[in-house]
Amino acid sequence: MMASVAGHALELIAPGLYRFDTGYLRKNHTAVYLLVDQGQVAILDTGVPANVPGLLEVIEVLGCSADNVAYVIPTHVHLDHAGGAGALMQALPQARLGVHPSGADHMVDPSQLEVGVRALYGDAFFDREYTPVTAVAADRVEPLDDGRVLQIGGRTLEVVYTPGHAWHQLGLLDHDSGKFIAGDAFGAGYPGFGDEGAPFVVPVVPPPQFKPEAYRDTLARIVQSAPAQVAPAHFPLITEVASVAATLEAMLDAGIEATWAADSVDDLERRLQTVWYDWLTTGADWSAYIKAYGKDIWLTAEGMWLWREKQR
């Protein structure tokens, strides 16, 4: 099932589970997932503030109303995943905001988050992509414990902590469909690279919370949960879960080796571009690769370089 909503694609990926292309930065870059069952809705990630009107339209297209939304759950509080949370919550009177405990304060008072994102991306990018960031009332925020099981209609969503990309990250396992909603815990991939079910993905580890051991543990935990598919925020579905996890871990190790060899963050970015390109199939276009993955690699270079400095 495909339906055009506010210029974006809404795709049924399992009974009652939909993927909404936010259009953030470009088509097929960032997804939000919606679980609908027995008249209840959970919105998993939110996109940026500009995505809120489209998401509200999507809810209506699916035959529901704002009152049917029980939970809004950002996988983590980075603004491409949680930037729309405050505005969504204002429009969804019955919803609770479920979030990792380490991210709850940032949802209630996003001022520190804004300062950090402006420092990383610059004011022009922040003002274009992320404003306005709206606070969520504290009494509507529900910290979610690891292993918590949420009921959405007759469906169960299990909360799984997935640190590595960020300490405040969690994933959601939909037991009925076997889909694991992973946010950024299982790399970033975009259509046109790799194979169906085993897309080319890169580890994305922004500053300031990258921890290699946590990232490796998260990959292992997701594999051990034995999902039928991993549904990442960026972007193709992953069926070959174990093999993609092994590749991600190998790419992470290669990235760490490059981090110790680099003499600057710019040098590290160039090294990562070259090192990870080698995992692509022969004949992959370099310029298309850089266009698709350049920002992710830049962000990872910043995160790995800061991690290296902390080790010293």
Side-chain angles (χ1 to χ4, degrees):
M1 170 186 169
M2 294 291 293
S4 179
V5 180
H8 304 308
L10 178 66
E11 182 181 3
L12 181 69
I13 63 170
L17 184 62
Y18 299 82
R19 179 173 63 185
F20 174 66
D21 183 358
T22 67
Y24 170 71
L25 298 184
R26 61 179 184 271
K27 183 180 178 182
N28 293 335
H29 183 281
T30 301
V32 167
Y33 294 89
L34 297 98
L35 181 65
V36 183
D37 194 76
Q38 298 180 13
Q40 282 198 317
V41 182
I43 301 175
L44 314 176
D45 278 341
T46 73
V48 298
N51 297 136
V52 171
L55 282 169
L56 295 176
E57 287 187 40
V58 162
I59 293 166
E60 294 184 3
V61 165
L62 296 175
C64 300
S65 72
D67 289 338
N68 296 124
V69 180
Y71 276 98
V72 174
I73 307 175
T75 56
H76 55 302
V77 302
H78 293 164
L79 292 182
D80 53 331
H81 300 262
L88 264 179
M89 292 298 288
Q90 288 182 344
L92 305 173
Q94 305 302 319
R96 304 283 294 167
L97 185 85
V99 66
H100 191 289
S102 295
D105 288 346
H106 289 298
M107 294 287 90
V108 175
D109 178 6
S111 58
Q112 277 191 309
L113 188 62
E114 177 173 341
V115 169
V117 175
R118 284 186 181 277
L120 183 62
Y121 287 106
D123 289 336
F125 186 91
F126 186 96
D127 291 338
R128 183 177 73 246
E129 301 293 346
Y130 295 142
T131 55
V133 179
T134 305
V136 180
D139 62 358
R140 298 187 67 194
V141 176
E142 185 175 325
L144 299 177
D145 293 330
D146 187 32
R148 170 83 176 272
V149 174
L150 304 174
Q151 292 295 136
I152 307 299
R155 302 279 281 268
T156 59
L157 282 175
E158 181 183 350
V159 176
V160 181
Y161 283 0
T162 55
H165 171 85
W167 197 249
H168 47 77
Q169 183 164 256
L170 55 80
L172 296 148
L173 178 60
D174 173 27
H175 283 277
D176 289 74
S177 70
K179 299 287 194 294
F180 191 102
I181 313 301
D184 286 348
F186 215 77
Y190 305 104
F193 298 89
D195 301 319
E196 184 176 355
F200 176 74
V201 295
V202 300
V204 183
V205 292
Q209 295 182 328
F210 170 52
K211 295 184 178 180
E213 299 81 5
Y215 199 101
R216 294 187 187 97
D217 289 347
T218 283
L219 292 176
R221 190 172 190 196
I222 293 173
V223 171
Q224 288 165 6
S225 71
Q229 285 184 316
V230 169
H234 317 287
F235 191 86
L237 300 175
I238 298 168
T239 304
E240 303 299 325
V241 176
S243 64
V244 171
T247 300
L248 268 172
E249 186 166 3
M251 294 174 76
L252 183 76
D253 291 343
I256 290 170
E257 184 176 341
T259 301
W260 288 115
D263 56 26
S264 70
V265 67
D266 291 336
D267 181 38
L268 175 56
E269 182 181 357
R270 290 188 291 268
R271 288 172 182 264
L272 291 178
Q273 289 174 351
T274 301
V275 165
W276 288 346
Y277 179 71
D278 290 342
W279 264 273
L280 276 169
T281 55
T282 303
D285 182 76
W286 173 267
S287 61
Y289 158 69
I290 295 300
K291 182 178 179 180
Y293 292 95
K295 185 172 287 293
D296 295 312
I297 295 173
W298 164 76
L299 194 59
T300 294
E302 295 285 339
M304 286 187 167
W305 187 260
L306 179 60
W307 169 79
R308 182 181 116 158
E309 295 303 294
K310 287 180 178 179
Q311 307 315 298
R312 293 184 168 185

